[in-house]
Amino acid sequence: MDRRDFLGGALLLSLRRKAGAASSFDIVSIERPRVLRLAARYLNEPPVTVTASFSPRSAGGRHDFFSEGDYWWPDPKNPGGPYIQRDGMSNPDNFVEHRRAMIRLSLIVPALAAAYRITRDRRYSEHAARHLRAWFIDDATRMNPNLQYAQAIHGRFTGRGIGIIDTLHLVEVARAAGQLDLAAADLGGVREWFSEYVRWMTTHPYGIAERDAKNNHGTCWVVQVAAFSQLTGDRDRMNYCRERYRTVLVPGQEASDGSFPLELHRTKPYGYSLFNLDAMAILVQTLSTREDNLWKWGMPDGRGMARAMAYMYPYILDKSKWPLPPDVMYDKEWPVRQPSLLFAGLALDRPEYLALWRKLDPDPTVEEVIRNYPVRQPLLWV
């Protein structure tokens, strides 16, 4: 893999900044204090992987990631029986320690990589490498490269394809790994893990089911395969993801007005709309090149990223204009510093998107918000 693969989108955006109204936008100056503050904190954090905790409800082993379906609860009429669903309402008694450990990794490694990119101080790169080895290489602590036991449901399923969305938090980790100064053995080991994971995602029935999901789950499957294949240098799979974006995601999910109807029908329509928009933006940012700019691509009827952004932007700017009922949980916590605003603002030369991005919170503290906010280090992307 050529490091330029990670910087293709950045080069594209750099060229657009020179020619457009966003030319004065200095992402390094904006992000430097925040990045260095976070990186200084994370230099003292040791690795914590899936082997640090275990649930007796898991059908897997010590190295297997395990999580439970968020919206599934004990049945009051049958307390010991199979759980029942309450859409949008997260069960606080679920096992979430593996998810928390992975999110922790997704906060630490990208922040250290961003600090390394700014300063070239090897302390940041070396400490990030320590976390990467623990998660993906070292036999005693590594996670198995599959998600066979994710989003299990008590009394119903030991794992589900829908659980693959939990590894969305590895997207920015993979991007960070491609920009760190890693030893050859470390980079090779990390690439091997992600190659094995993509192989599982694209062949196991859980992976196939998640790929074919019609909503944000299908989006996030493509995002992950694209990002992980970028790290491993698998151009064929990246091309597959480009084609799936054009032929499946946009025509299957985006309405003529730029909205995502399948997200609007949920009990948390605002949060899910933001989440799917960000996932689409991450995908387009990952795959766009000068020769194939997905930011500018649209269907004959105009559907594409520009229209999706135009639909959601007014409601990010002024949430009181949102036409649907508030989300059943975590409504007041959104929006935060959505990466879609930054990526689209630069790629589409929309300075109003950039101005709004700067005003929003870059470091939310509510766990559920962090979980649905997978890009927090824009220096690695632009």
Side-chain angles (χ1 to χ4, degrees), residues 278-303:
D278 280 346
M280 290 272 194
I282 294 165
L283 177 63
V284 167
Q285 183 71 1
T286 299
L287 296 177
S288 286
T289 65
R290 281 178 294 183
E291 296 76 23
D292 188 6
N293 183 357
L294 294 178
W295 284 105
K296 291 289 188 177
W297 174 86
M299 296 183 64
D301 62 5
R303 285 180 290 169

Side-chain angles (χ1 to χ4, degrees), residues 62-82:
R62 182 67 65 175
H63 294 266
D64 291 309
F65 181 95
F66 176 69
S67 63
E68 295 181 289
D70 298 280
Y71 306 146
W72 293 84
W73 297 68
D75 184 352
K77 298 178 181 178
N78 184 17

Side-chain angles (χ1 to χ4, degrees), residues 177-200:
Q179 297 183 56
L180 288 163
D181 185 15
L182 299 178
D186 290 342
L187 181 57
V190 172
R191 284 176 174 168
E192 181 179 359
W193 190 96
F194 279 101
S195 180
E196 290 182 23
Y197 184 50
V198 169
R199 190 177 305 116
W200 180 86

